[in-house]
Amino acid sequence: MRRQATGIAIALLMAGTAMAAPQDATVHPELWPAAKSPAAISDPGTEARIDALMKKMTIEQKVGQLIQGDISTITPKDLETYPLGSILAGGNSGPNGNERSSAADWARLVGEFRAVSLRPQANGVAIPIIFGVDAVHGHNNIPGATLFPHNIGLGAARDPELIQRIGAVTAAEIAGSGIEWTFAPTLAVPQDLRWGRSYEGYASDPELVADYAKAMVIGLQGPLVAGKTVGASHVAATAKHFLADGGTFEGKDQGDAKIGEKELIAKHAMGYPAAIDAGALTVMASFSSWNGVKHHGNKGLLTDALKKKMGFEGFVVGDWNGHGQVAGCSVTDCAQSINAGLDMFMAPDSWKGLYETTLRQAKDGTIPAARLDDAVRRILRVKYKLGLFAEGHVDRGDFAAVGAADHLAVAREAVAKSLVLLKNNGGVLPIRPGARVLVTGPAADNMAIQSGGWTISWQGTDVVRSDFPNGQTIWEALDRSVREAGGVATLSGDGAFREKPDVAIVVFGEPPYAEFQGDVATLDYQPTEATDLATLRKLKAAGIPVVALFLSGRPMFTNPEINAADAFVAGWLPGSQGAGVADVLVAGKDGKTPRAFTGTLPFAWPSDARSPVEKPQFAVGYGLKYGATTTVPQLSEELGVDISAALNVENFFSGGRARSPWVLTVTDAGGARPVESVPVTSPGGLLAARSVDVKAQEDGKSLVWTGPASFHLSGPYADLTRQLNNSFALRVEWRIDAPGSGPVQLALGGQAFDITDMVRAAPKGEVTSMRIPLRCFADAGANLQKLDYALSVTADKGFAATLLNTNVQAVGDNLPCPPKAK
């Protein structure tokens, strides 16, 4: 099937070059590759049991199967009234609100939900829930679990056999915590690396993605065997996100793939036939759109292409309230998605209202009975295959599997194989035995940065060293290897040293992020304050050979950093096993490293800050080896884009975070504190900030005042004179949770206005927008040519609001200015 899929991809890409601009989202099934779920996904006996069960089920029980709620909003007792078919734990959800729960805690929680679901109802029917988690680079939800490099690093390894072993290890640890379903693997083929989920894609090559899809599905589930359940150390896989989540215009998360059908298939669909043929039990629909039509409501894709032409016999699950983005839908009302071919809603916090609405629609025929029964059958088929029913139940819960030594060894191997050597002028690597080594950089001793997003929490920003006691930071691993080889290693926070080292290793890179937070305007690394470049240049100027180890979720424009280093290594997001890095970089006493460089680039490395990458500095497949005599010359440091123009000067806050280069801080009399991760409290404890769900996952920032305090959105100087001259206004979209009793002031560029009356007039607890013309601030004295503070809000005890969006917006109305603050 691999060769067939590849041949189809090449033919379609060639045919697509002459296509007219895409105009619609119409699917032509004859263009799509053929595939088929293995016959072993079910068997006649199982289908007969499903037939008998469905004859007994009430319509309430059938509708319940279609809905999945999150543990943060549902309890086991709720299942007594609402017979939901599935439970998930989202990226920030843990048993009893504890993100750092143990495997035993997880198994206990799953067992509590399962026990209620298995109590026979009045009609004698008992249907177990299926429990799912995002275990996307190992069982990343549990401290001490085995953490693998993110997918982009695994793509650099180009080793399907390793991927299958990683899948098996991950499955054993998920199952070891009593869970039977993971939302992985991601089969995205990212085209624009500005996308914040680029690291979830294995490669830009659909052929490699197809190879990995097969390997990971078999690793997670084991080969499906007719008449037998999936084993106790295996779990259901999810091929996601269907489709072209990596092909959206300008790399916008949840955006629109504005491409023709042939390109859609050739670039983005090739992983799915491989996953389906391998037996993937579930597929997840993408948040994104194709030519303006949301996938959660596209029958052509979900039914005609996926289920019919590609022969998928498992079930299709939605993404986090993704059905609510379908035209004409809300998160509690979306028959369109089910009728399009979605089988299970992911309704983390909307499950109750959605159940009631969907039940009504099933009863009145809005959702046809045949479509309802098809969805239920698919879900029951997977539950039987996983051994979730009381009859033939498969027990999962081998706690000892989590973080087992042999599992950690596989992760260490994966880290070593993921590293890509871009430059090694003068043969500075490997580090020779007996060397005096200086290790510095913000990522050198930082488990959060080396692990990236989707680690313990959704964004991964709150990871600490103690979360992975069986891991090593890169510094710890380098220190041990250097000492074992007879050398001395020193960790320096700022690159300073007392005795000149023989070599310096600077470890730096992107802070942790996941979707929303990870989108960037350009591929320029550190466009505003190039602190890491300064460290490299300082050490180089001191006559010290410099090794740059760059940790990132994507290739970035780093030519200045490459020029400032003698050796440059792309380390991606390696995870908890820093020893895998030292295995490649540091030679032992015999002068040989435990492992050599074998990784090659899965994506092109850019020669400037533009994206998509048109002129690679280093092409896909590039990667130096030890012994190579290649010398990388001085590289151009031209950005290729006007960074000042590319800098985001109009969108200050959205998607739950300050948008780069703007920074959110909370301030009171005790000082200021940046809101890089949440929850955060101002130094004096008078203003607390935390992330909350309003319209989407963590899209709002809740701010609660317990005394006089402010929050600010600040950044480098931005020029808003063009917007000023074209009648733009500052727009603040927020929800006033408590108006308080004192004054509320809003400022831009240091000029404050009293918005107390506007706050009191706003509907409490509802999202509302306030707009103040930029001319108001300019007339008051704000310098809009050099704007440093885009928004400041000052209030006192009792005021509370949830911020969703802050931007400048063209307005046609002649809006008045609020009174100037006293």
Side-chain angles (χ1 to χ4, degrees):
M1 183 62 216
R2 252 276 294 112
R3 291 183 179 179
Q4 177 188 0
T6 303
I8 291 172
I10 293 172
L12 286 171
L13 278 173
M14 292 178 66
T17 59
M19 288 183 61
Q23 296 181 356
D24 59 28
T26 301
V27 168
H28 301 84
E30 68 275 10
L31 296 177
W32 291 72
K36 182 66 178 174
S37 290
I41 196 172
S42 190
D43 58 83
T46 297
E47 294 301 313
R49 286 192 289 274
I50 293 173
D51 288 338
L53 182 59
M54 289 181 64
K55 287 179 181 178
K56 296 179 182 179
M57 291 173 68
T58 65
I59 194 168
E60 289 80 5
Q61 290 169 328
K62 290 181 177 180
V63 168
Q65 290 302 299
L66 275 57
I67 297 175
Q68 178 186 67
D70 185 82
I71 61 172
S72 63
T73 67
I74 190 170
T75 65
K77 185 172 179 59
D78 287 326
L79 296 182
E80 296 175 358
T81 305
Y82 298 90
L84 269 58
S86 181
I87 304 296
L88 86 149
N92 284 338
S93 298
N96 303 310
N98 180 12
E99 291 180 346
R100 288 172 167 78
S101 292
S102 66
D105 293 333
W106 281 96
R108 186 179 306 111
L109 178 71
V110 175
E112 290 169 355
F113 277 106
R114 185 107 63 221
V116 176
S117 69
L118 283 173
R119 293 175 192 164
Q121 301 302 300
N123 59 353
V125 170
I127 304 174
I129 56 98
I130 179 172
F131 196 104
V133 294
D134 284 285
V136 297
H137 64 131
H139 196 6
N140 45 264
N141 305 281
I142 297 182
T146 303
L147 205 62
F148 291 97
H150 271 291
N151 286 353
I152 192 170
L154 300 182
R158 296 181 181 270
D159 187 342
E161 186 275 334
L162 172 63
I163 297 306
Q164 186 166 328
R165 286 190 283 129
I166 289 172
V169 167
T170 301
E173 299 203 8
I174 297 168
S177 60
I179 298 169
E180 64 275 353
W181 182 19
T182 178
F183 305 137
T186 297
L187 304 181
V189 185
Q191 301 296 301
D192 191 322
L193 297 175
R194 290 176 292 181
W195 185 39
R197 302 188 77 163
S198 292
Y199 65 75
E200 295 187 49
Y202 292 117
S204 60
D205 177 11
E207 182 176 336
L208 182 61
V209 173
D211 285 343
Y212 274 25
K214 175 183 177 180
M216 184 58 79
V217 168
I218 293 175
L220 288 168
Q221 296 183 172
L224 299 186
V225 178
K228 293 187 178 181
T229 56
V230 170
S233 62
H234 287 93
V235 299
T238 306
K240 71 177 189 183
H241 306 84
F242 191 79
L243 187 63
D245 47 337
T248 61
F249 180 64
E250 296 184 340
K252 299 295 184 185
D253 191 57
Q254 303 186 20
D256 188 20
K258 300 179 181 181
I259 56 178
E261 186 177 10
K262 292 180 179 179
E263 183 179 350
L264 178 73
I265 298 168
K267 286 185 177 178
H268 300 285
M270 289 300 107
Y272 291 90
I276 292 167
D277 286 343
L281 293 174
T282 72
V283 169
M284 183 180 290
S286 175
F287 276 119
S288 58
S289 309
W290 174 42
N291 290 332
V293 178
K294 285 289 181 180
H295 296 321
H296 276 67
N298 192 323
K299 185 176 182 180
L301 288 177
L302 297 182
T303 298
D304 298 337
L306 178 62
K307 292 182 175 179
K308 292 182 178 179
K309 187 61 185 290
M310 288 196 278
F312 177 59
E313 297 290 340
F315 72 81
V316 179
V317 64
D319 208 340
W320 191 276
N321 277 332
H323 57 277
Q325 298 183 18
V326 174
C329 287
S330 70
V331 295
T332 57
D333 184 350
C334 197
Q336 293 96 313
S337 279
I338 298 298
N339 290 339
L342 193 77
D343 300 309
M344 180 183 288
F345 292 110
M346 184 182 287
D349 55 357
S350 57
W351 56 268
K352 187 178 293 184
L354 185 62
Y355 170 81
E356 294 167 347
T357 302
T358 307
L359 178 60
R360 184 171 63 251
Q361 292 164 338
K363 287 180 175 180
D364 68 19
T366 302
I367 298 174
R371 172 76 274 266
L372 176 64
D373 284 352
D374 176 61
V376 172
R377 176 176 294 276
R378 289 169 176 273
I379 294 167
L380 296 179
R381 181 180 292 143
V382 172
K383 290 183 175 182
Y384 272 112
K385 195 64 181 176
L386 289 170
L388 302 183
F389 283 84
E391 179 185 356
H393 183 74
V394 174
D395 290 322
R396 294 177 174 87
D398 179 8
F399 306 151
V402 178
D406 58 331
H407 295 176
L408 298 174
V410 177
R412 181 172 177 171
E413 174 188 350
V415 173
K417 289 183 174 181
S418 74
L419 303 179
V420 180
L421 181 61
L422 300 185
K423 178 181 180 180
N424 193 23
N425 289 6
V428 66
L429 286 176
I431 305 300
R432 64 174 176 79
R436 184 178 300 277
V437 182
L438 176 73
V439 181
T440 188
D445 196 29
N446 191 307
M447 188 64 76
I449 293 178
Q450 72 184 57
S451 299
W454 289 110
T455 306
I456 302 299
S457 62
W458 179 34
Q459 296 294 326
T461 55
D462 59 348
V463 169
V464 294
R465 174 65 184 86
S466 58
D467 286 330
F468 295 96
N470 50 8
Q472 316 85 34
T473 65
I474 291 171
W475 149 249
E476 291 169 341
L478 291 172
D479 179 43
R480 180 173 180 176
S481 293
V482 168
R483 284 189 288 105
E484 288 178 346
V488 177
T490 303
L491 179 66
S492 170
D494 59 1
F497 54 87
R498 292 184 178 179
E499 187 174 352
K500 186 176 180 179
D502 298 320
V503 63
I505 302 176
V506 183
V507 191
F508 61 100
E510 294 186 286
Y513 58 81
E515 58 208 274
F516 292 126
Q517 276 79 344
D519 289 0
V520 293
T522 78
L523 294 183
D524 186 29
Y525 178 66
Q526 287 194 329
T528 53
E529 296 184 22
T531 54
D532 298 328
L533 177 60
T535 299
L536 292 166
R537 286 176 172 169
K538 179 178 68 174
L539 293 167
K540 187 70 172 175
I544 301 168
V546 177
V547 175
L549 176 58
F550 183 56
L551 306 186
S552 68
R554 55 195 143 207
M556 302 195 77
F557 177 63
T558 51
N559 280 10
E561 288 80 7
I562 294 173
N563 286 336
D566 297 282
F568 192 97
V569 178
W572 314 113
L573 302 170
S576 63
Q577 299 304 300
V581 174
D583 286 344
V584 179
L585 267 58
V586 182
K589 289 184 177 180
D590 61 358
K592 299 178 181 179
T593 58
R595 290 186 179 273
F597 279 104
T598 58
T600 60
L601 290 178
F603 295 89
W605 200 275
S607 60
D608 56 36
R610 289 175 290 188
S611 185
V613 178
E614 297 180 355
K615 296 181 179 180
Q617 188 67 63
F618 304 105
V620 172
Y622 175 91
L624 299 178
K625 306 293 187 288
Y626 281 142
T629 57
T630 303
T631 297
V632 175
Q634 186 79 3
L635 305 178
S636 169
E637 298 187 3
E638 292 295 323
L639 292 168
V641 294
D642 182 352
I643 287 293
S644 62
L647 281 178
N648 169 31
V649 298
E650 293 187 347
N651 182 20
F652 310 128
F653 184 96
S654 64
R657 69 177 180 110
R659 309 305 296 190
S660 178
W662 304 96
V663 176
L664 177 65
T665 58
V666 288
T667 306
D668 58 21
R673 181 168 292 153
V675 184
E676 296 174 346
S677 60
V678 288
V680 164
T681 304
S682 56
L686 302 181
L687 177 54
R690 65 184 179 92
S691 295
V692 295
D693 298 352
V694 180
K695 299 177 181 178
Q697 188 176 14
E698 290 197 3
D699 62 338
K701 197 73 73 183
S702 170
L703 298 150
V704 179
W705 277 255
T706 56
S710 306
F711 78 80
H712 307 281
L713 283 164
S714 60
Y717 286 137
D719 186 353
L720 291 185
T721 53
R722 181 181 65 84
Q723 290 83 352
L724 174 64
N725 295 332
N726 286 277
S727 301
F728 278 62
L730 172 69
R731 172 181 171 269
V732 179
E733 183 184 25
W734 55 359
R735 185 182 67 200
I736 305 301
D737 299 315
S741 57
V744 181
Q745 296 180 4
L746 182 150
L748 178 147
Q751 297 302 317
F753 289 85
D754 189 333
I755 61 167
T756 306
D757 290 343
M758 299 171 72
V759 167
R760 303 279 160 73
K764 182 180 177 182
E766 296 181 17
V767 175
T768 187
S769 291
M770 295 182 184
R771 296 182 298 171
I772 302 175
L774 293 182
R775 60 173 171 80
C776 299
F777 302 102
D779 292 346
N783 183 354
L784 268 63
Q785 190 173 12
K786 298 181 68 175
L787 179 71
D788 51 359
Y789 281 86
L791 174 68
S792 299
V793 173
T794 301
D796 208 331
K797 181 179 180 180
F799 181 60
T802 298
L803 183 65
L804 279 85
N805 289 283
T806 304
N807 62 344
V808 292
Q809 181 184 70
V811 293
D813 305 328
N814 185 21
L815 300 174
C817 299
K820 195 77 170 64
K822 297 179 180 179

